[in-house]
């Protein structure tokens, strides 16, 4: 009796219609089986339907048949088959805008400033087989609804079905910025890897790709007018992102509801610029590297030099032209002052001008930010620009908090909008051991590994006042790639990065035990779609919701 | 001048001919460029050449052209091209047995007892373009030489070459057992994943596949006469290893110089047997699982029951028939006594017989081991069978030391042969975070991550007397798969598992800084051969030997 009661409880708590990720704000489900008709169609009502929405509908329709995902229960859905014969069939999903709204492309709506993106939608799947519908005030909202619709279905014996009809969903994000950061400078990733990652991001409604594209180790980005940086600084001529590649990635992302925020990290993390412009870089590849940088090679821009400042302002302007996003990250992390203390040109320039290093940094930052603002961009910076340096920044400058979640409060108190990116919750590289050579006792600096459960349990407004809480734009997982490349991209990122996707879409406070079967479901679906999301537990656990919880 | 001196030093310390893994016992290299002739051939001298040796020669020849590996220097070998025109070409590699030796198949020689395997070889590649040669006393030695030969070559602009001719190598392993363990029970791996892993193992001269094929979570192995275990205990009918699969894997391994030691772990780790034989298992899926097992589901054999003992003896006998190895692991780890304390049938049987649980365990162990010994097998056990339980074991029973390297001494003092498998050095799953559900603060029990440098620095004879040191058969990396599946098999295992392959082939004490460029080279070559070995460092470091060492 006790076991039976438990089984019933589990069936309720982990009903398959709850296998949506991120969890919608409002979800009502029934217990009827509904099958997809063989000729199932997705149509968009109205005129002037943008091409990227039609393409998205086409991809969704394709997933419905190609996912072939069995339900995550013992028998993988075999027990559902007896309900198929009597089940109603669904022939059509119709997407339509609310009255008064008009079509723009998904791309254009995704590339708006975060606070201006409208991602809300309503989704109804009746149990009687009459048409399903997604309605929204924007194309972007319709697209988010499609992602949800695509997660409702399972397959058994060539029948695509749900056992939870009817389904009624009202949904919108808790936070406007839900990102993922990839570093393509420590190790290079082909365009195909980035596109596959963008697809996966779109499945969990992540709307921001933060592309840390260049760093001290390599400069793979070909910026018109500045291609010498990649010519001399990429790992090889085949390990670059051409202008065509950038357009391809930006367009691919946009059509999937994702904006691309590029990061040209300055004035630190710039050793590679010395390959093309030796005079612009202090302590380039200086040794011992540990005296001049947090990792090899050392090298930072001589920002005291007005020529360097103008060059970077022009570089930003040129890069801004190829990235339509309103956001542009100028970096600003991990500046090593010792590098400048021993750099003769820097010291001579400071002496000549009578400025301090911090004053010069302020000039550099303002001039380079002004160049971006002149192009309509909002600069974004890492936390040190607020917490370590005396730099005058517009309060509109969003700040990425990375060193520790303990620093969130200080950034908020400084009045800045902020993006959660704290290493103690969201760094995907933590726990991989030390990578510096000749150091057998070395360990990951941000050890231990951040599990999905850890990230999921983060509170975005911990210790913040109500006013400060309003400064939180959202957050993201991040992958720094000292120990990553195409070989382990998917396994390191997925499904873990989905935990912040839900945290910042659905909002904090989600139940971890209830989330586990859903994130299993997501991981299995990812694999069916060609993304190598890893096993979070033995399959025995994945097929038995709750059975591997700590106190089960 | 200082920089120049450093460059020369690096070029010497990390000459490309040193990019062999594992490092040979004796290696002399020159500095001449030698190219492979377009019609390069590998021939085997003598009569009765076994088919698996001919096939191995064919695979090696294929790798020489398909590897297309550029040297790991800035420019990836472009600076070598000026030497190509004047370089001699090599047209032939000849394999031959030493006088008096006769051909057996690689398979037969690999499947001998570890101490009887003859893996020594000599390899000569003259600089003048006259034929290269591998000589050995055994087919297995010739095969090891082929693996070495295949690592000597780089490609640039369609030229396959070395810049280190002549090359003279005399080589043999320090330890006879160099293994890798894979758990296919927590999560299932298709045969193709196992085969790819066997290929990778052979490239670094690993000679033992320790196949932890079944466990409490699933029983994928179809054993003739006992197929109900897989029928009812595999995750699904498609997640099994049929008799044909086993023969395929054993044959594939053998042809690559690898013996397959199967493990049927008993009497713990057997919950799944209850699916077919409920009466055989105590505390099957009992809750809370944490009271009865180290991980869910609980369930252990009722070994006090003579019927169960006979059944397992028969099961071992049947499994022994399909695995030609001399070694057969019977497990014996993590027995939970609380499970038996509350198991009514066990307590009744103990009361009836007047035996203690330990006495009954001794009877079970002896009877099941005798069944294997009757078939010519040597049982292998985990350390608890020696260190925790009062079980009478033959001194010939090798013991896998896993809980801690601190336990090596005690096993050696007990007089047992031993295999290093300590979690604090060789567990590939450590550092991946906790996987138990509803436990956001949970961490990997064997945190932190074991880097290749950590494993590489292990001393196999630490604290052992000379006599005890002779008991060390070798060692291995191990992958428990609570958080692994086909999605992350390669990235979790490679190139890390290569560090123990070299440790136990070349012997301990290798220089970590000198090894780093070589293991980079190996990882890049693995990728060219389709194995997703991960980046150990940014590519900037991989192209600049030593530049990312801790004190560089």
């Amino acid at each position: 009796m006790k076991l039976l009661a438990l089984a019933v409880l589990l069936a309720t708590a982990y009903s398959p219609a709850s296998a949506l990720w991120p969890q919608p704000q409002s979800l009502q489900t029934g217990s009827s089986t509904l099958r997809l008709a063989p000729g199932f169609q997705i149509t968009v009502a109205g005129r002037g339907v943008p091409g990227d929405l039609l393409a998205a509908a086409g991809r969704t329709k394709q997933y419905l048949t190609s996912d072939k995902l069995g339900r995550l229960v013992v028998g993988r859905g075999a027990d559902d088959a007896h309900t198929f014969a009597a089940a109603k069939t669904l022939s059509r999903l119709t997407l339509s805008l609310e009255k008064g709204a008009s079509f723009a492309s998904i791309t254009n709506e995704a590339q708006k400033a975060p606070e201006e993106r409208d991602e809300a939608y309503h989704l109804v799947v009746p149990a009687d087989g009459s048409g399903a519908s997604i309605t929204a005030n924007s194309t972007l909202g319709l697209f988010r609804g499609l992602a949800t619709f695509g997660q409702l279905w399972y397959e058994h014996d060539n029948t695509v079905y749900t056992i939870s009809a009817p389904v009624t969903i009202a949904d919108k994000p808790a936070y406007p910025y839900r990102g993922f950061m990839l570093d393509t400078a420590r190790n290079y990733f082909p365009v195909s890897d980035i596109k596959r990652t963008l697809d996966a991001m779109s499945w969990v409604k992540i709307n921001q790709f933060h592309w840390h594209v260049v760093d001290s180790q390599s400069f793979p980005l070909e910026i018109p007018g500045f291609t010498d940086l990649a010519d001399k600084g990429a790992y090889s001529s085949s390990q670059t992102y051409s202008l065509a590649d950038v357009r391809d990635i930006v367009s691919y992302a946009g059509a999937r509801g994702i904006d691309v925020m590029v990061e040209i990290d300055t004035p630190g993390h710039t050793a590679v610029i010395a390959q093309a412009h030796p005079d612009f870089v202090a302590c380039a590849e200086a040794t011992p590297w540990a005296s001049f940088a947090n990792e090899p090679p050392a090298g930072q821009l001589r920002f005291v030099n007005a020529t360097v400042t103008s060059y970077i302002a022009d570089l930003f302007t040129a890069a801004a032209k190829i990235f339509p996003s309103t956001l542009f990250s100028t970096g600003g992390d991990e500046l090593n002052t010792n590098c400048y203390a021993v750099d003769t040109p820097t010291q001579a320039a400071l002496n000549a001008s009578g400025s301090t290093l911090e004053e010069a940094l302020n000039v550099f930052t303002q001039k380079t930010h002004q160049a971006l603002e002149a192009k309509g961009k909002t600069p974004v910076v890492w936390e040190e620009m607020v917490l370590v340096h005396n730099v005058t920044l517009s309060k509109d400058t969003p700040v990425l908090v990375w060193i520790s979640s303990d620093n969130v409060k200080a950034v908020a108190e400084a009045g800045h909008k902020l993006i959660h990116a704290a290493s103690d919750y969201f760094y995907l590289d933590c726990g991989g051991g030390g990578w510096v050579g000749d150091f057998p006792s070395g360990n990951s600096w941000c050890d231990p590994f951040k599990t999905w459960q850890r990230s999921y349990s983060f509170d975005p407004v911990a210790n913040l006042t109500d006013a400060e809480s309003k400064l939180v734009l959202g957050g993201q997982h991040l992958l720094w790639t000292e120990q990553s490349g195409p070989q382990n991209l998917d396994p390191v990122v997925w499904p873990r990065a989905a935990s912040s996707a839900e945290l910042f879409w659905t909002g904090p406070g989600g139940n971890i035990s209830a989330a586990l079967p859903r994130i299993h479901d997501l991981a299995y679906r990812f694999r069916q779609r060609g993304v190598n999301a890893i096993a979070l537990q033995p399959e025995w656990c994945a097929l038995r919701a709750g059975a591997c919880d700590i106190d089960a």
Side-chain angles (χ1 to χ4, degrees), chain A:
Chain A
M1 274 312 289
K2 193 179 170 195
L3 275 175
L4 184 62
L6 179 66
V8 170
L9 175 68
L10 291 175
T12 306
Y14 307 108
S15 81
S18 301
L20 299 173
W21 196 283
Q23 182 80 356
Q25 299 295 346
S26 163
L27 168 68
Q28 286 100 43
T29 59
S31 55
S32 296
T33 300
L34 180 67
R35 302 162 61 182
L36 276 194
F40 176 80
Q41 294 295 331
I42 302 178
T43 57
V44 187
R47 292 185 189 178
V49 179
D52 57 10
L53 182 59
L54 291 174
R59 288 197 305 278
T60 302
K61 181 161 174 272
Q62 174 65 26
Y63 291 144
L64 295 176
T65 51
S66 62
D67 277 1
K68 294 191 184 306
L69 178 63
R71 276 214 298 131
L72 287 188
V73 291
V74 174
R76 302 303 299 274
D79 291 348
D80 303 333
H82 72 279
T83 68
F84 292 167
K88 303 279 187 184
T89 61
L90 181 69
S91 297
R92 185 176 302 273
L93 167 67
T94 303
L95 278 54
S96 51
L97 289 180
E98 304 283 359
K99 195 171 177 182
S102 59
F103 281 116
S105 67
I106 298 172
T107 303
N108 283 347
E109 293 182 354
Q111 292 171 352
K112 290 180 178 175
E115 299 92 328
E116 294 171 22
R117 299 168 191 165
D118 183 348
E119 303 179 275
Y121 68 95
H122 287 80
L123 168 61
V124 178
V125 181
D128 64 1
S130 61
S133 66
I134 300 174
T135 53
N137 273 312
S138 74
T139 315
L140 188 57
L142 296 176
F143 178 70
R144 298 298 176 220
L146 278 172
T148 304
F149 187 82
Q151 293 179 345
L152 285 172
W153 308 93
Y154 297 93
E155 190 262 1
H156 181 78
D157 203 12
N158 294 317
T159 296
V160 179
Y161 70 102
T162 175
I163 59 167
S164 306
V167 178
T168 306
I169 291 172
D171 203 10
K172 63 178 181 178
Y175 291 96
Y177 181 113
R178 305 175 309 280
F180 169 70
M181 192 215 77
L182 180 67
D183 161 15
T184 59
R186 272 53 179 250
N187 281 299
Y188 176 81
F189 294 79
V191 172
S192 59
D193 287 305
I194 295 175
K195 286 183 166 183
R196 189 179 65 260
T197 302
L198 291 165
D199 271 312
M201 290 161 64
S202 76
W203 301 333
V204 291
K205 305 186 172 73
I206 292 176
N207 67 1
Q208 195 72 46
F209 177 42
H210 173 186
W211 191 3
H212 183 87
V213 61
V214 299
D215 207 299
S216 276
Q217 289 80 9
S218 75
F219 200 105
L221 182 64
E222 293 182 359
I223 302 170
F226 296 81
T227 52
D228 56 341
L229 293 172
D231 289 348
K232 298 185 177 177
Y235 283 134
S236 73
S237 59
S238 62
Q239 291 167 295
T240 60
Y241 303 105
S242 69
L243 181 58
D245 290 335
V246 170
R247 288 183 171 149
D248 189 18
I249 288 167
V250 167
S251 159
Y252 196 90
R256 283 154 185 80
I258 299 168
D259 181 47
V260 181
M261 173 173 77
V262 71
E263 174 165 304
I264 312 280
D265 199 350
T266 62
H269 291 271
T270 45
V272 70
I273 291 177
Q275 301 295 321
H277 299 279
D279 293 348
F280 289 3
V281 178
C283 64
E285 303 192 19
T287 58
W289 60 262
S291 297
F292 304 105
N294 282 6
E295 64 183 60
Q300 304 182 152
L301 288 171
R302 285 182 171 131
F303 58 78
V304 180
N305 181 333
T307 304
V308 172
T309 300
S310 294
Y311 176 84
I312 296 299
D314 292 347
L315 177 70
F316 282 0
T317 302
K321 284 182 190 162
I322 62 176
F323 290 95
S325 177
T326 65
L327 305 175
F328 189 112
S329 174
T330 64
D333 56 321
E334 298 190 308
L335 201 59
N336 182 297
T337 51
N338 188 48
C339 167
Y340 296 116
V342 300
D343 184 51
T344 307
T346 293
Q347 292 305 316
L350 289 174
N351 287 337
S353 66
S355 303
T356 65
L357 192 72
E358 285 294 326
E359 288 165 351
L361 179 62
N362 195 27
V363 171
F364 171 82
T365 304
Q366 294 208 41
K367 289 199 173 169
T368 52
H369 279 201
Q370 283 159 8
L372 287 170
E373 286 156 358
K375 292 294 170 187
K377 304 295 185 186
T378 301
V380 176
V381 297
W382 294 104
E383 64 174 84
E384 292 99 313
M385 295 300 274
V386 170
L387 302 183
V388 176
H389 301 291
N390 289 316
V391 171
T392 308
L393 291 172
S394 160
K395 293 295 183 212
D396 290 336
T397 307
V399 175
L400 293 149
V401 181
W402 72 275
I403 294 174
S404 168
S405 56
D406 292 341
N407 296 345
V408 167
K409 179 74 175 173
V411 170
E413 284 177 344
H416 276 281
K417 293 180 186 176
L418 64 90
I419 296 162
H420 288 296
S423 61
D424 47 335
Y425 282 89
F426 300 116
Y427 268 33
L428 293 162
D429 59 319
C430 301
W435 58 267
V436 170
D438 204 18
F439 193 32
S441 64
N443 195 10
S444 168
W445 75 269
C446 52
D447 203 64
F449 185 93
K450 310 309 171 208
T451 63
W452 76 268
Q453 304 184 62
R454 165 97 181 152
S455 311
Y456 193 76
S457 66
F458 180 74
D459 180 357
V461 296
N463 303 319
L464 300 186
T465 66
D466 285 354
E468 288 165 356
S469 296
K470 292 189 172 63
L471 297 170
V472 177
L473 287 176
Q476 61 186 20
H477 270 85
L478 309 91
L479 181 57
W480 301 105
T481 59
E482 285 86 355
Q483 294 165 297
S484 287
Q487 295 75 32
N488 60 349
L489 174 62
D490 290 7
V492 170
V493 177
W494 304 112
R496 269 195 296 161
S499 62
S500 61
E502 174 155 308
L503 173 67
F504 294 111
W505 175 281
T506 312
N511 180 290
I512 288 172
S513 186
L516 176 56
R518 289 191 295 108
I519 199 168
H520 273 311
D521 195 279
L522 182 75
Y524 276 73
R525 196 178 293 274
F526 266 39
R527 290 176 211 156
Q528 300 299 97
R529 295 183 185 179
V531 172
N532 277 325
I534 69 164
L536 294 172
Q537 295 188 318
E539 185 152 308
W540 190 89
C541 306
L543 300 182
R544 292 165 180 83
C548 294
D549 283 2
I550 185 70
D551 54 1

